[in-house]
Amino acid sequence: MRKQRSEWSPGRRACLRGTAALALSALGPGLPLAALAQGDWVPDKPVKLVVPFPPGGGADVAARIVAQAVGNKLGQPLIIENRAGAGGAIGAQVVQAAPADGTTLLVASADTHSIYPHVYTKPRFAAQDFVAVAPITRIAYVLMGRPDLPAKNVQEVVALARKGKLSYASWGAGSAAHAAMSLFMGVAEAPQMLHVPYTGSAPAAQALMGGQVDLMMVPMPLAVASRSKLTVFGVSAQQRSEAMKDVPTLAEQGFLVDAEFWIGLLAPPKTNPAAVATLSRRWQEAVADPEVQAKLRAQGMSPHQATQSEYARYVAGEYKRWGEIIQKAGIKVDEP
């Protein structure tokens, strides 16, 4: 997801500071090689995780939570490097050009590898050439409205939208929020809403709270933090979120919208298969840890567990699915 600054509540900021304070790059020397499983690939230098968004965003927080659990199990320390810009394209470019030895990974997302390749006329990187390693989490979005919006439910929102009387915010043309709302508009047969892009999710949410726009597809972590200040209409995932158990999905209300976005690890093209296999196992073990899952859920995220092959199929499927949605919606943006 594209974020310019953190929009977490004080409690979430404290959680992030605590996580960052562990300084993943200083986890100490790796485990003795004897402690590693026989046949495991062992990196010969620290493993770099490139987050293509600013610190404090969903991808950054998720990566730090799980990386803590991976710790020094790889025999080398982990280093998180934020390389934000161009909707995640700059970080993705860095990883695409990195040596395919398993020591540089991308904390990718639906923004970078499901949506970006289809939205921009001249993508900066070849999304389909990356190697899937392991999933981390999925994040649902919540359809939310300004506090005084004259609509009590989704049906009334759609009625207003069909009359061309509503606007919606996102954190940029071609962002996940833009794509998710386009999906909703298509399902609701309400294509006349005005899109108002902002420079980040925080400014977009603030505009919504201030009544400058009518609606927004808000990422679950931000939705939880700002719920008391906005009108909640429905969750974009197939199932209700544990973070908002009382809020029905849009599908439950008659609008079959599935806009849950993924975050996971990808490696440069043609990365050493032995490295991919070991990295995938370590991250699968970390995401399966109940403590890690509790930390992810506390941030409004759903832990995503899958084998390396299952994850590869999932990423390929999401690439195709969002490509069809974006083509149908007619979203095209010049390269940022």
Side-chain angles (χ1 to χ4, degrees):
M1 294 171 279
R2 188 176 303 173
K3 291 183 167 62
Q4 300 299 316
R5 66 182 187 189
S6 175
E7 53 286 278
W8 308 96
S9 65
R12 285 182 169 79
R13 291 192 189 99
C15 174
L16 176 59
R17 286 196 296 270
T19 302
L22 291 174
L24 296 172
S25 61
L27 283 170
L31 288 176
L33 296 187
L36 296 168
Q38 186 175 7
D40 270 358
W41 164 81
V42 180
D44 58 3
K45 59 184 176 180
V47 176
K48 182 189 299 183
L49 306 179
V50 176
V51 178
F53 301 105
D60 183 70
V61 173
R64 291 179 187 275
I65 288 173
V66 182
Q68 278 187 278
V70 174
N72 58 8
K73 293 179 181 179
L74 291 171
Q76 288 285 354
L78 295 170
I79 300 172
I80 287 185
E81 180 179 306
N82 295 88
R83 296 292 295 267
I90 290 177
Q93 280 182 289
V94 168
V95 175
Q96 180 174 257
D101 59 3
T103 61
T104 303
L105 303 173
L106 179 69
V107 182
S109 68
D111 280 270
T112 60
H113 281 70
S114 298
I115 298 171
Y116 173 93
H118 303 290
V119 166
Y120 289 96
T121 53
K122 295 181 180 180
R124 297 188 183 192
F125 61 92
Q128 291 181 296
D129 289 348
F130 283 69
V131 179
V133 177
I136 301 175
T137 186
R138 287 187 291 234
I139 300 177
Y141 280 36
V142 184
L143 180 62
M144 305 181 85
R146 58 183 169 86
D148 57 345
L149 186 69
K152 297 178 181 179
N153 52 51
V154 179
Q155 287 74 19
E156 292 182 1
V157 168
V158 170
L160 289 173
R162 287 174 177 170
K163 296 177 181 178
K165 295 184 177 182
L166 294 180
S167 60
Y168 69 95
S170 80
W171 50 89
S175 65
H178 184 191
M181 188 62 83
S182 296
L183 174 59
F184 171 70
M185 288 191 298
V187 171
E189 299 180 352
Q192 299 184 51
M193 286 195 284
L194 174 66
H195 178 213
V196 184
Y198 289 83
T199 57
S201 56
Q206 289 169 356
L208 184 62
M209 294 177 197
Q212 298 170 34
V213 288
D214 300 309
L215 297 166
M216 179 178 169
M217 281 289 188
V218 183
M220 184 60 71
L222 180 55
V224 172
S226 57
R227 180 175 182 177
S228 63
K229 302 174 184 178
L230 296 167
T231 304
V232 181
F233 294 110
V235 177
S236 69
Q238 292 180 325
Q239 298 179 340
R240 295 194 186 197
S241 170
E242 292 189 24
M244 282 189 172
K245 292 182 179 180
D246 61 315
V247 178
T249 65
L250 294 171
E252 285 181 74
Q253 301 174 75
F255 300 94
L256 299 177
V257 175
D258 180 9
E260 192 173 32
F261 295 94
W262 61 271
I263 296 171
L265 292 184
L266 299 180
K270 300 180 181 179
T271 293
N272 173 9
V276 172
T278 297
L279 289 163
S280 182
R281 283 197 300 272
R282 295 307 183 195
W283 280 76
Q284 287 176 54
E285 292 166 2
V287 175
D289 187 322
E291 186 175 339
V292 169
Q293 294 195 359
K295 289 179 179 179
L296 290 171
R297 290 191 176 102
Q299 299 290 343
M301 303 176 183
S302 300
H304 185 182
Q305 295 179 262
T307 65
Q308 191 271 330
S309 59
E310 289 170 343
Y311 176 55
R313 289 193 294 272
Y314 174 82
V315 172
E318 287 295 279
Y319 177 92
K320 180 180 179 181
R321 184 170 76 93
W322 281 103
E324 292 171 351
I325 291 169
I326 289 164
Q327 182 178 20
K328 184 175 181 179
I331 303 174
K332 276 294 178 185
V333 181
D334 291 332
E335 179 61 40

